[in-house]
Amino acid sequence: MASQRARLPRLGSLGALTRPSRPPGASICPFCSVTSAGRMRPRTRRDARFNSTVSNAGNPRAELEQHLLDMQKLGPLLVNPSRMQLALQGLRQAPGQEVVRVAILGLGPGSNAGETAKNVLRLLVTDPLKDEQEWERQLKDHDPKKPLIVRIRPTTEEQGILSVSKTNLLSEIDVSSADWNNFNLELLFMETIIPYPEGDNYVARIKIVEDVLVPTVDIASAENRSTPVTTPVHRALLIGDGMKGAVNATRLPFLEEEEAVMRAVNLKGIDRTQFEAPFETIDLASADKGMTLFRQSTRNAMEYERLWTSSNFPALVTWLKSGVTASEDTTKPAVRRLIQSILESVWARCKEENHNKIKDIHIKAYQKKKLALSPNLNEGLSVWAQKAHTELQDELDLAFTGERWRKLGWWQLFWRVDDVAMLTNEMLSQRFLPTAEQELVYLTGQIAEAAKNTQQYPQPPSVQDKPSPETQLKRLGSGELEPLVPVTTRPALPKWPGHIAFTRKYLQNETIPALQALAQKLVMQSLGTSGLTTSLAALLYVSSFSSTIYEAGAVAALGFMWSMSRLQKKWDAARTFWEGEVREEGRKAVRAAEESVADVLNGKEKTTRTDDDEANKVLNEVRHLVTKASDALDRMK
């Protein structure tokens, strides 16, 4: 008996007009885009009973669906999203009424596999008790290079065809066949080329199965442009043609034990009992001839039976029905096998992640061991450190006894106060470890050459690594407040220890502006004090007849001398402090750079917070979900 879904009339043009439009840029499976309207059906009592049991905690079907959702949420990179959505869609349908998608793929390259696969599809669905129908003629005229969706369901039309429509995605043909109407079967026809998998046997097997069961369809999106869209299916029938097709089918490993994939090659006139092959051999010409003879007259029934059996098409029919045949309230085998394949794929990806991590650990350990056994590099580091300390002392002695530093004497601040930043920046740029920094780059280059890889050196803590301050608000013209987001650009970390450059930048950006501000402040205070005492002396001379010019001059001179003495004392102290800070920061930079290179040479890693523990935790949780989902799958009917 036909299902409730099959007996519904097909939505006509009104259904197409009222179909909700999808948002722009959304990726929709071609199956869903062309069949969503046709699958709508009223809720029945059976559906109500099924939906009411989903919420029960003891329902294996509901448990399995929840485990798959948790798995997809927890490890999205470990799950194929297209296959997962297809599996969830099957679990949300009534048991035994799931829609099964089967791909009939012409296996290329270098053969007429597309045309052969199209004819195989036609003969599998054709009803020999009826004359040639319209959909058969349209299928014969269809370009095999263009994908096609064939939906099988009952109809009251005499010709057994509902429509042939072309959407913005794929071409679609609705077919009625007495042998297939009650199976909720959808077929995808296209040509494909399966790449050879990489990795170990277990992982390679999972990859090639996914390549076969998730074919990619190129959808025309614009002029001379196409967009690849994945179309997941439950099962796949790979069709080859001739000897090239046999070679293409044989070179695909790990498919012998996969019940969801079947390979068949059209080899005319070859007896399949004479040799063993990892694929089924069919004779398309014999099957087509038998179908034509039977339609001409029922007297040719015996000849049709002989040709049909010798063509080995019954093996294809048996395999196709084995995935869609199920008893009442029992999950179809194709849906069950899809879920099992997804769980195997997730487990294989977890295994591959662990393998890659172990491989990286061994590579790093080998590189560290190789570096640790290089005494020349350690000697080079010691020589560099000694030269760097010597250069720091000699160059800074020249800088702080040179002409630029003498120009910043306290008595010259009045006309050189604006040159403090320029002169000190020039001193740091030319005298603060320029040669040591270049030689450090050369040394790290030798280390990278010895390790055959660029090393990661511990870097100095940056101010930009600190947490950002509280977000400030700015007022717009309309009176509204908007967050003021500061724009911070963090330069890329160098491939060598950046302690010297970082220290130089710190001195230039932090200490020199403070020194410049102090010089300006002292000059203004000196001028202010001198001006104040001079004004006081003038006021004293004018307001008192007993005060002489000498007494007033003494007051002004006292204020001037006190302000100059204060300027000299504070400025000399600031110069001495800044000189000591530059020397100390230089020594710290040399020691930090030396320790950074030594850590790499000795195989020590910088203790930083990584996501390795979190990744391992996620993998363990995903494995646990796979185990629970497998148990629910075994208990599900």
Side-chain angles (χ1 to χ4, degrees):
M1 180 181 294
S3 63
Q4 294 288 341
R5 176 181 304 175
R7 289 198 294 268
L8 280 178
R10 182 178 181 274
L11 294 179
S13 58
L14 180 61
L17 292 175
T18 59
R19 184 180 304 175
S21 60
R22 62 186 177 94
S27 177
I28 296 182
C29 172
F31 276 106
C32 304
S33 64
V34 298
T35 61
S36 57
R39 292 182 184 173
M40 297 177 59
R41 61 187 179 94
R43 292 171 55 89
T44 61
R45 293 184 178 179
R46 178 180 178 181
D47 295 335
R49 291 197 307 270
F50 170 68
N51 292 332
S52 64
T53 59
V54 172
S55 58
N56 296 333
N59 186 0
R61 197 179 188 89
E63 293 179 13
L64 179 58
E65 180 182 353
Q66 187 61 43
H67 293 331
L68 293 180
L69 289 173
D70 294 341
M71 197 182 306
Q72 186 178 20
K73 181 179 180 180
L74 188 61
L77 298 180
L78 302 175
V79 178
N80 188 306
S82 300
R83 303 189 73 197
M84 181 64 74
Q85 291 302 321
L86 182 61
L88 293 174
Q89 179 182 349
L91 290 176
R92 290 163 185 166
Q93 295 172 345
Q97 298 296 322
E98 300 94 346
V99 176
V100 176
R101 301 175 180 176
V102 179
I104 299 181
L105 308 176
L107 188 59
S111 64
N112 195 24
E115 189 69 27
T116 302
K118 183 181 68 172
N119 291 326
V120 169
L121 186 153
R122 177 177 57 84
L123 292 176
L124 286 176
V125 183
T126 296
D127 188 354
L129 298 177
K130 295 182 179 180
D131 295 334
E132 185 178 13
Q133 301 182 10
E134 180 63 24
W135 68 265
E136 297 182 49
R137 291 187 287 270
Q138 292 175 348
L139 185 58
K140 289 180 180 179
D141 297 336
H142 181 75
D143 186 2
K145 297 185 179 299
K146 296 181 180 180
L148 175 68
I149 292 178
V150 178
R151 295 193 295 124
I152 305 176
R153 60 183 185 179
T155 177
T156 57
E157 299 285 340
E158 294 182 358
Q159 293 296 327
I161 178 172
L162 292 177
S163 68
V164 178
S165 62
K166 288 189 177 181
T167 66
N168 57 347
L169 293 180
L170 289 179
S171 299
E172 170 204 355
I173 294 182
D174 290 345
V175 176
S176 176
S177 176
D179 293 336
W180 303 98
N181 281 339
N182 298 329
F183 292 113
N184 286 341
L185 185 62
E186 295 179 350
L187 303 177
L188 169 66
F189 159 72
M190 61 177 293
E191 290 183 341
T192 186
I193 298 177
I194 308 299
Y196 194 85
E198 297 180 356
D200 58 16
N201 292 342
Y202 184 74
V203 176
R205 175 180 174 272
I206 298 299
K207 288 183 178 179
I208 193 172
V209 169
E210 286 194 352
D211 290 338
V212 173
L213 296 180
V214 190
T216 301
V217 178
D218 292 331
I219 305 299
S221 57
E223 185 177 359
N224 298 328
R225 294 184 181 180
S226 60
T227 302
V229 178
T230 56
T231 53
V233 295
H234 294 87
R235 315 188 91 192
L237 177 59
L238 302 179
I239 302 296
D241 183 70
M243 296 306 298
K244 291 184 178 180
V247 173
N248 294 333
T250 306
R251 73 178 184 88
L252 297 178
F254 314 115
L255 294 180
E256 292 82 0
E257 301 178 358
E258 180 55 48
E259 61 183 26
V261 180
M262 183 178 186
R263 292 173 291 178
V265 180
N266 179 31
L267 296 175
K268 183 178 180 181
I270 296 181
D271 188 1
R272 64 180 183 275
T273 61
Q274 295 179 356
F275 68 99
E276 294 183 0
F279 51 81
E280 293 287 342
T281 59
I282 60 175
D283 191 345
L284 181 62
S286 297
D288 195 8
K289 181 180 179 181
M291 185 73 66
T292 303
L293 291 176
F294 186 78
R295 281 180 167 179
Q296 290 176 356
S297 175
T298 56
R299 298 176 182 177
N300 300 324
M302 297 297 295
E303 183 66 14
Y304 161 74
E305 185 68 22
R306 185 187 66 81
L307 292 174
W308 183 260
T309 304
S310 63
S311 67
N312 201 26
F313 264 72
L316 304 185
V317 175
T318 302
W319 174 84
L320 193 58
K321 287 187 176 181
S322 64
V324 296
T325 304
S327 59
E328 190 73 11
D329 296 335
T330 303
T331 305
K332 291 184 178 181
V335 178
R336 183 182 294 272
R337 176 55 193 162
L338 171 64
I339 299 174
Q340 182 180 356
S341 177
I342 291 176
L343 298 180
E344 293 176 355
S345 175
V346 173
W347 191 273
R349 283 191 169 92
C350 292
K351 179 181 178 181
E352 187 177 13
E353 287 291 331
N354 285 335
H355 176 73
N356 292 336
K357 289 182 179 180
I358 295 175
K359 183 178 179 181
D360 292 340
I361 292 175
H362 284 294
I363 292 176
K364 291 180 180 179
Y366 174 75
Q367 292 176 351
K368 294 172 184 177
K369 182 179 179 181
K370 186 175 181 180
L371 287 175
L373 297 177
S374 302
N376 295 333
L377 297 177
N378 291 319
E379 294 178 1
L381 177 61
S382 301
V383 173
W384 174 85
Q386 183 179 1
K387 290 183 178 180
H389 284 289
T390 303
E391 179 190 1
L392 177 66
Q393 182 178 358
D394 296 342
E395 292 294 329
L396 291 185
D397 287 343
L398 292 176
F400 291 118
T401 57
E403 182 180 358
R404 291 189 182 90
W405 191 242
R406 288 197 301 268
K407 288 181 180 180
L408 297 181
W410 68 271
W411 66 91
Q412 303 184 52
L413 278 183
F414 294 99
W415 58 89
R416 294 190 185 276
V417 66
D418 293 332
D419 297 337
V420 173
M422 180 189 68
L423 295 175
T424 51
N425 271 306
E426 290 179 356
M427 291 169 55
L428 291 178
S429 299
Q430 298 180 10
R431 299 295 183 181
F432 191 80
L433 299 172
T435 306
E437 186 176 12
Q438 294 179 1
E439 292 180 351
L440 180 61
V441 176
Y442 299 152
L443 178 61
T444 54
Q446 294 176 358
I447 296 175
E449 182 180 3
K452 305 299 182 182
N453 189 16
T454 302
Q455 302 298 313
Q456 296 293 333
Y457 294 93
Q459 300 293 340
S462 174
V463 178
Q464 296 180 0
D465 292 336
K466 298 180 181 179
S468 58
E470 185 178 356
T471 304
Q472 300 179 356
L473 299 177
K474 66 177 181 179
R475 187 173 298 277
L476 302 178
S478 59
E480 299 179 356
L481 294 178
E482 184 183 52
L484 180 61
V485 181
V487 179
T488 58
T489 58
R490 180 173 181 175
L493 293 177
K495 297 180 181 179
W496 57 86
H499 299 80
I500 296 177
F502 175 80
T503 303
R504 185 187 299 113
K505 186 177 181 180
Y506 161 75
L507 293 173
Q508 291 175 341
N509 296 341
E510 300 293 336
T511 62
I512 290 180
L515 188 64
Q516 171 83 35
L518 178 62
Q520 294 175 347
K521 178 182 178 181
L522 292 177
V523 169
M524 293 301 297
Q525 288 178 351
S526 298
L527 293 178
T529 303
S530 300
L532 181 61
T533 55
T534 302
S535 301
L536 180 62
L539 182 62
L540 180 64
Y541 177 75
V542 172
S543 62
S544 177
F545 294 100
S546 61
S547 299
T548 62
I549 187 67
Y550 299 104
E551 294 174 346
V555 173
L558 178 62
F560 178 77
M561 293 301 295
W562 182 81
S563 63
M564 292 297 104
S565 175
R566 182 173 178 271
L567 171 64
Q568 178 184 8
K569 182 179 178 180
K570 289 195 173 184
W571 181 244
D572 287 344
R575 278 164 43 102
T576 303
F577 176 80
W578 189 76
E579 179 181 349
E581 185 178 15
V582 171
R583 293 180 183 275
E584 182 62 24
E585 291 296 332
R587 285 191 290 268
K588 290 181 180 179
V590 173
R591 287 198 301 268
E594 182 182 5
E595 292 176 358
S596 177
V597 178
D599 289 344
V600 173
L601 291 177
N602 297 331
K604 296 181 181 180
E605 291 186 355
K606 181 183 177 183
T607 57
T608 57
R609 185 178 63 87
T610 62
D611 296 335
D612 292 341
D613 295 338
E614 186 67 22
N616 293 332
K617 182 179 179 181
V618 170
L619 289 178
N620 292 333
E621 292 181 0
V622 170
R623 289 195 191 94
H624 183 60
L625 287 175
V626 171
T627 304
K628 295 169 65 176
S630 299
D631 178 68
L633 180 62
D634 294 337
R635 292 185 287 110
M636 185 180 66
K637 292 184 179 180

